[in-house]
């Protein structure tokens, strides 16, 4: 069993802590650290975590820890992951890999030099919904995939998130925040990306927080918040992708793929299962068919990717959530932002090959 030290006990940490305790047995959480000590103390008490450290440097120096779980804010990912790698630890980071392409490149280079793995979220593509879609596409349900449309549309996070400011600063915005879910799902369904071409705008210069504890405070918006992108894959498939914090709910399907035999309505890539159902429009009959899930992990299973990283290290295989994936996704996202800035298409320099699909015969919680 590989042992994990968690850095950052913010909003996303709750589901990790729950799943450490209840589901995944290939990893053990042995230490926790947060700049706000009270958060770490609460987690330690509630989940029986053996060790609490005042600084991340103290946690990294613990010889018992094999993997560092980086749950800090996006603009802090680079600093924390770099220090963990330099201390000889494998790393699993929340998304994105880095706040920009240069940070991601430096982390990948350092991990390779150290002979370590750096993996990261999202791991929702390993859930029942996307894995079932991958199987159906690979088996030819849709025939040849022609193209598709992705929509991630909301009016921002300041109405519900307890600390929303960072979503509108460097490392935030709809592409770096929500793009990882959609792009990771797409490359696991369709393969690597060849080119991206985007436009962007910032509709609102300020945001009013209406969620506690910062009700009434104003956020200065320092990143674009509305992107329209055309993604071209190595296979020739083209996907149009809307990511925005500026519109109200569009009521459109998260991912819809068009094929020569029909259209596949892919479940929300921010979720593991199929909360709104998974459907296939049969082109021959015109019938809309409900499709059953064929894999495990249909509920919120964050920590699944970390468990796979640990299992992969012990088994000597590439992790499904390794930098080979997160680095390609980061380039696609930063390429979208560069394309929007320059008005020119961005040609990808990295390539991506899908790892093995999930094995539905394994016991729940084991990889």
């Amino acid at each position: 069993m590989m042992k994990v030290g968690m850095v950052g006990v913010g909003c996303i940490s709750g589901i990790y802590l729950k799943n450490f305790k209840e589901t995944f047995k290939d990893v053990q959480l042995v230490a926790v650290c947060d700049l706000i000590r009270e958060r770490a103390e609460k987690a330690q008490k509630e989940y029986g975590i053996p060790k609490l450290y005042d600084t991340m440097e103290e946690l990294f120096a613990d010889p018992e820890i094999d993997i560092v779980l980086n749950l800090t804010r996006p603009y802090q990912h680079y600093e924390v992951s770099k220090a963990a790698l330099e201390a000889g630890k494998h790393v699993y980071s929340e998304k994105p890999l880095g706040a920009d392409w240069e940070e991601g490149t430096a982390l990948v280079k350092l991990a390779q030099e150290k002979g370590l793995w750096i993996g990261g979220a999202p791991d929702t593509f390993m859930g029942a919904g996307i894995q079932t879609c991958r199987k159906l596409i690979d088996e030819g349900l849709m025939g040849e995939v022609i193209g598709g449309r992705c929509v991630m549309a909301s009016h921002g996070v300041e109405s519900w998130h307890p600390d929303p400011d960072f979503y509108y600063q460097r490392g935030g915005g709809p592409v770096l925040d929500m793009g990882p879910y959609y792009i990771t799902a797409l490359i696991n369904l369709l393969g690597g990306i060849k080119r991206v071409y985007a436009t962007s705008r910032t509709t609102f210069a300020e945001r009013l927080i209406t969620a506690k504890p910062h009700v009434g405070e104003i956020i200065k918006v320092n990143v674009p918040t509305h992107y329209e992108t055309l993604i071209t894959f190595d296979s020739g498939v083209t996907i149009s992708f809307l990511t925005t914090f500026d519109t109200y709910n569009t009521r459109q399907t998260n991912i819809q793929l068009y094929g020569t035999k029909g259209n596949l309505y892919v479940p929300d890539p921010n979720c593991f299962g199929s909360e709104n159902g998974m459907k296939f429009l049969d082109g021959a009959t015109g019938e809309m068919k409900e499709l059953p899930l064929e894999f495990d992990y249909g509920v919120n299973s964050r920590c699944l990717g970390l468990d796979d990283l640990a299992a992969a290290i012990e088994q000597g295989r590439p992790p499904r959530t390794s930098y080979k994936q997160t680095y390609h996704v980061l380039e696609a996202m930063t390429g979208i932002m560069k394309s929007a800035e320059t008005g020119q298409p961005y040609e990808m320099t990295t390539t991506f090959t899908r790892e093995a699909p999930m094995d539905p015969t394994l016991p729940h919680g084991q990889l």
Side-chain angles (χ1 to χ4, degrees):
M1 180 182 298
M2 301 199 78
K3 297 184 178 180
V4 178
M6 176 190 289
V7 178
V9 192
C11 192
I12 193 65
S13 66
I15 189 61
Y16 278 92
L17 291 165
K18 179 178 184 291
N19 288 334
F20 264 118
K21 183 176 181 179
E22 298 179 1
T23 304
F24 298 106
K25 307 305 179 185
D26 295 324
V27 286
Q28 179 185 3
L29 182 61
V30 298
V32 65
C33 171
D34 193 278
L35 288 173
I36 302 175
R37 184 180 173 87
E38 291 77 11
R39 291 179 178 176
E41 290 175 343
K42 181 181 177 182
Q44 182 186 37
K45 181 178 180 181
E46 185 173 353
Y47 292 94
I49 303 168
K51 304 174 185 179
L52 185 152
Y53 288 106
D54 289 321
T55 70
M56 67 180 189
E57 289 80 10
E58 292 173 346
L59 185 146
F60 298 158
D62 186 339
E64 186 181 24
I65 293 172
D66 303 299
I67 303 173
V68 169
L69 174 58
N70 183 355
L71 300 186
T72 58
R73 294 179 178 183
Y75 61 81
Q76 297 169 320
H77 286 177
Y78 171 74
E79 176 187 354
V80 175
S81 294
K82 179 175 180 287
L85 290 168
E86 288 176 337
K89 310 298 185 183
H90 300 288
V91 175
Y92 185 91
S93 174
E94 254 302 323
K95 47 77 184 172
L97 173 63
D100 56 39
W101 176 240
E102 291 72 24
E103 287 186 354
T105 299
L107 289 174
V108 168
K109 182 180 179 181
L110 179 59
Q112 292 172 334
E113 290 173 351
K114 293 281 189 178
L116 297 167
W117 282 108
I118 178 168
D123 52 4
T124 46
F125 76 95
M126 298 169 64
I130 301 301
Q131 289 293 308
T132 298
C133 288
R134 172 177 173 170
K135 177 176 181 289
L136 294 173
I137 292 171
D138 290 351
E139 290 176 346
L141 174 71
M142 299 179 61
E144 180 184 354
V145 180
I146 302 168
R149 174 68 167 161
C150 297
V151 176
M152 192 302 295
S154 77
H155 207 265
V157 300
E158 59 273 16
S159 65
W160 61 268
H161 198 282
D163 192 16
D165 181 79
F166 72 87
Y167 284 91
Y168 300 101
Q169 314 306 328
R170 178 178 177 272
V175 172
L176 286 177
D177 176 51
M178 293 300 294
Y181 298 107
Y182 288 79
I183 296 173
T184 300
L186 287 171
I187 64 175
N188 276 276
L189 296 175
L190 304 173
I193 294 172
K194 180 179 181 181
R195 180 187 307 111
V196 296
Y197 191 18
T199 62
S200 70
R201 62 176 287 170
T202 304
T203 306
F204 307 100
E206 296 181 342
R207 300 272 180 156
L208 174 65
I209 301 177
T210 57
K212 295 180 180 179
H214 299 286
V215 176
E217 295 181 18
I218 299 294
I219 299 172
K220 298 292 185 180
V221 178
N222 292 308
V223 292
T225 47
H226 182 92
Y227 284 86
E228 282 276 11
T229 304
L230 183 66
I231 303 174
T232 302
F233 290 79
D234 293 331
S235 63
V237 173
T238 56
I239 302 287
S240 61
F241 184 25
L242 168 66
T243 46
T244 180
F245 285 158
D246 292 351
T247 72
Y248 296 96
N249 191 331
T250 63
R251 299 184 182 274
Q252 291 181 309
T253 302
N254 292 284
I255 300 177
Q256 184 176 353
L257 299 179
Y258 314 132
T260 55
K261 293 183 179 179
N263 298 345
L264 182 64
Y265 296 81
V266 179
D268 185 346
N270 190 24
C271 302
F272 286 80
S274 178
E275 286 77 0
N276 298 319
M278 188 167 60
K279 301 176 182 179
F280 175 67
L281 177 63
D282 190 320
T285 65
E287 180 185 1
M288 184 71 79
K289 300 177 180 179
E290 294 281 348
L291 303 175
L293 299 177
E294 300 183 30
F295 287 80
D296 196 2
Y297 305 106
V299 298
N300 193 336
S301 302
R302 282 176 172 81
C303 204
L304 177 59
L306 172 61
D307 192 69
D308 183 73
L309 174 67
I313 291 169
E314 292 188 329
Q315 296 163 9
R317 63 170 173 84
R320 292 179 175 89
T321 54
S322 81
Y323 63 78
K324 295 180 179 180
Q325 174 169 280
T326 57
Y327 192 43
H328 190 68
V329 171
L330 180 62
E331 184 179 21
M333 295 188 300
T334 55
I336 288 170
M337 293 187 288
K338 289 178 182 177
S339 175
E341 291 173 2
T342 64
Q344 300 297 317
Y346 176 87
E347 301 288 338
M348 296 283 287
T349 63
T350 61
T351 59
F352 174 74
T353 302
R354 300 184 301 175
E355 298 295 345
M358 295 289 282
D359 184 348
T361 68
L362 291 177
H364 186 69
Q366 295 182 18
L367 285 98

